[in-house]
Amino acid sequence: MLDFLKKSFQISIFIFLFFIFYIPLSTNAQNQTQIDAILGKAIQLFQEGNYLDAYIELEAVLKIEPHNTQALNYKLQCETNLGGTPSAGIASLTPNPTPTEPTPISTPQYTPKPTIAATSLPEDLATPSILLQPSPIPHQSIEPNTDSQNTILITPVVSPTKNQQLFIADPPGWVKQSINDPSQMAYFQLPNQQRIVIAELIVFQETLDSNKTLEEYLEYIQKNRLKPPEFELYVPLESKSTTLAGLPAVQHDFLFSNGTLQLKARSVLVIYNKIAYFFLFYSSIADFNQLETNFNQVLELVTTEEKNQSQPPIELSFVSQAGLVGIHVPLPQGTILKETSSNQTIYNGPNQSLIEIVVSDLIDQLKQAEAGAVSGKSFQNQSNLTAGSQVIEIKLYQYVENNRNFALLTAYYVGKPLLIIISLPQDEYQTAQPWLTQLIQSIDFT
């Protein structure tokens, strides 16, 4: 009897160990075999110069094993090779399954503009204030921007209509473009410091005549919109659930070609009161990972009409008195008071900036404050700007601190007791252009 129990116990232990160790090891072995096969194919494609095909295979490897070092390294090399060149070709595309199609009232054409990494922004659209590079025009005036107010205020994507439901602020760093397609709600371009367009964002709206799920509508988009000639070589990568403005949404990543460049896109789809909103962002494959943060910042500005009404914006401002002159300085959203003294107030501002406001009815004190701020800095440029009848002397400097390049901008209001000094990392300067311009030109003297 004892021997029988011993044998039974040994068998039980064997079965237990089999399920604990062998089966997981077997599963892992199968996964590893699959990874090795896909990775081998990707490497072969890479060596043949088929970087887009290799990129797609590497994406499949990383879905199974996200931290596979070899796949990550080859993916980075693929992105580098695909950054500004047409695709070397794609082996095959899996056709989309036939979905249940909604019947939209309108049929917008999702047409990407073939300008990324190929054209420059017009001079008057890129940066309304001075650049880090010397400007050929020493005197330049800033015209009030009637299209977008302070970024604290939420403005509608399009002109208000009866069916308008989603609202968005003009995103800092992006340049708003005119639109002719009635299905497009907004169109923005993102320039770099050389004024080259490196990403684009188009917002579409479509009214549906029946209730459809996000998944059903995405399938409809894939079948009917993401196709040639606007979307050559469409390759779906990943779709997942997310939220936008507190509403359920779906995010869909994919690759495509605009006929000139290989691009990577991220779309976010939300349906609200039978209106489908489609946010389409795209850039070169090589730039995508770096620029997706800029897209996420845009999505944070999206809100519903009801939310906008229940949470009115709060104006941030600096108010002071110097002699008989009252001063009102509207501040950008996100500004936080750092320190203050009798004639100087410093704020932590957006884009890792410091905003220093110096108020004095003695010009010598303002000049001394300016001299102290720019001491040791490299002078870059000067412009005399105007806002109404007010003349503003703008000077731009560069300096290095903790192995990082910084920009410093001074704004002196001629004949008024005010000096504004703004410093920020140089790589944040382009993104900060909208609120810098708004701050400088919106000073109110009474």
Side-chain angles (χ1 to χ4, degrees), residues 294-369:
N294 298 75
F295 180 48
N296 292 336
Q297 291 172 346
V298 175
L299 296 181
E300 291 174 1
L301 301 176
V302 180
T303 183
T304 63
E305 184 177 8
E306 289 79 3
K307 184 177 181 180
N308 181 50
Q309 292 175 345
S310 63
Q311 297 181 2
I314 299 175
E315 182 188 80
L316 305 174
S317 61
F318 166 88
V319 180
S320 184
Q321 187 80 21
L324 300 177
V325 180
I327 302 170
H328 177 264
V329 183
L331 298 171
Q333 188 177 23
T335 301
I336 301 174
L337 178 65
K338 182 180 181 183
E339 58 184 85
T340 185
S341 61
S342 58
N343 67 338
Q344 180 186 60
T345 302
I346 301 177
Y347 296 90
N348 289 317
N351 300 105
Q352 306 173 49
S353 64
L354 279 179
I355 303 172
E356 181 178 348
I357 301 175
V358 184
V359 175
S360 175
D361 54 4
L362 299 176
I363 295 180
D364 287 345
Q365 286 189 353
L366 297 178
K367 293 300 182 182
Q368 288 174 6

Side-chain angles (χ1 to χ4, degrees), residues 45-47 49-56 77-78 81-82 88-89:
L45 291 168
F46 180 86
Q47 293 172 345
N50 295 330
Y51 302 117
L52 181 58
D53 291 346
Y55 182 93
I56 296 168
Q77 294 181 59
C78 286
N81 283 286
L82 288 168

Side-chain angles (χ1 to χ4, degrees), residues 415-434:
K416 297 296 191 297
L418 176 66
L419 171 70
I420 296 179
I421 304 168
I422 303 172
S423 61
L424 73 167
Q426 185 170 316
D427 54 11
E428 295 284 342
Y429 184 81
Q430 185 71 25
T431 305
Q433 286 290 304

Side-chain angles (χ1 to χ4, degrees), residues 26-318:
S26 176
T27 302
N28 290 338
Q30 291 176 358
N31 286 341
Q32 190 60 49
T33 300
Q34 183 182 10
I35 290 172
D36 291 342
I38 301 174
L39 186 56
K41 181 180 179 182
I43 294 172
Q44 181 179 352
L45 291 168
F46 180 86
Q47 293 172 345
E48 294 172 353
N50 295 330
Y51 302 117
L52 181 58
D53 291 346
Y55 182 93
I56 296 168
E57 297 296 335
L58 292 167
E59 283 275 326
V61 171
L62 292 172
K63 283 184 180 180
I64 303 172
E65 188 177 346
H67 303 292
N68 187 297
T69 303
Q70 194 173 12
L72 289 170
N73 288 335
Y74 271 101
K75 180 183 176 184
L76 179 61
Q77 294 181 59
C78 286
E79 290 173 346
T80 301
N81 283 286
L82 288 168
T85 59
S87 170
I90 183 166
S92 62
L93 294 176
T94 303
N96 295 313
T98 303
T100 302
E101 300 181 10
T103 306
I105 293 176
S106 59
T107 56
Q109 298 300 312
Y110 297 159
T111 308
K113 310 292 182 183
T115 54
I116 295 178
T119 61
S120 299
L121 285 174
E123 184 77 15
D124 60 341
L125 290 178
T127 49
S129 57
I130 63 176
L131 302 175
L132 284 175
Q133 296 79 20
S135 172
I137 304 176
H139 300 287
Q140 178 184 4
S141 62
I142 298 179
E143 297 296 332
N145 186 350
T146 57
D147 293 331
S148 60
Q149 302 299 317
N150 189 306
T151 54
I152 297 174
L153 300 177
I154 301 296
T155 56
V157 175
V158 290
S159 301
T161 63
K162 182 177 180 180
N163 293 325
Q164 183 66 47
Q165 298 296 335
L166 287 189
F167 289 73
I168 185 174
D170 288 348
W174 295 76
V175 180
K176 192 172 186 178
Q177 302 293 330
S178 59
I179 53 177
N180 298 318
D181 187 341
S183 69
Q184 293 184 8
M185 304 300 99
Y187 171 33
F188 301 100
Q189 292 181 326
L190 181 66
N192 60 14
Q193 288 191 355
Q194 289 72 43
R195 299 186 176 185
I196 303 299
V197 178
I198 55 176
E200 295 186 322
L201 168 64
I202 307 177
V203 185
F204 301 90
Q205 175 181 278
E206 181 171 11
T207 302
L208 308 178
D209 65 352
S210 60
N211 292 324
K212 295 296 177 182
T213 67
L214 290 169
E215 291 73 18
E216 288 173 340
Y217 190 74
L218 175 59
E219 289 180 347
Y220 172 80
I221 293 297
Q222 289 179 290
K223 180 181 178 182
N224 296 278
R225 307 288 166 72
L226 302 180
K227 62 181 184 179
E230 292 83 11
F231 294 87
E232 299 286 350
L233 302 176
Y234 165 73
V235 181
L237 294 178
E238 181 182 16
S239 298
K240 65 178 183 180
S241 298
T242 183
T243 59
L244 179 63
L247 302 170
V250 62
Q251 174 182 301
H252 176 58
D253 293 356
F254 59 94
L255 303 177
F256 75 99
S257 170
N258 63 3
T260 304
L261 303 172
Q262 284 298 332
L263 304 173
K264 184 173 182 178
R266 171 162 296 169
S267 60
V268 176
L269 171 66
V270 62
I271 298 176
Y272 187 53
N273 287 350
K274 292 188 178 181
I275 300 177
Y277 297 88
F278 192 82
F279 292 76
L280 175 64
F281 162 80
Y282 51 93
S283 70
S284 70
I285 293 176
D287 292 338
F288 185 86
N289 290 341
Q290 179 182 355
L291 297 177
E292 63 178 322
T293 301
N294 298 75
F295 180 48
N296 292 336
Q297 291 172 346
V298 175
L299 296 181
E300 291 174 1
L301 301 176
V302 180
T303 183
T304 63
E305 184 177 8
E306 289 79 3
K307 184 177 181 180
N308 181 50
Q309 292 175 345
S310 63
Q311 297 181 2
I314 299 175
E315 182 188 80
L316 305 174
S317 61
F318 166 88

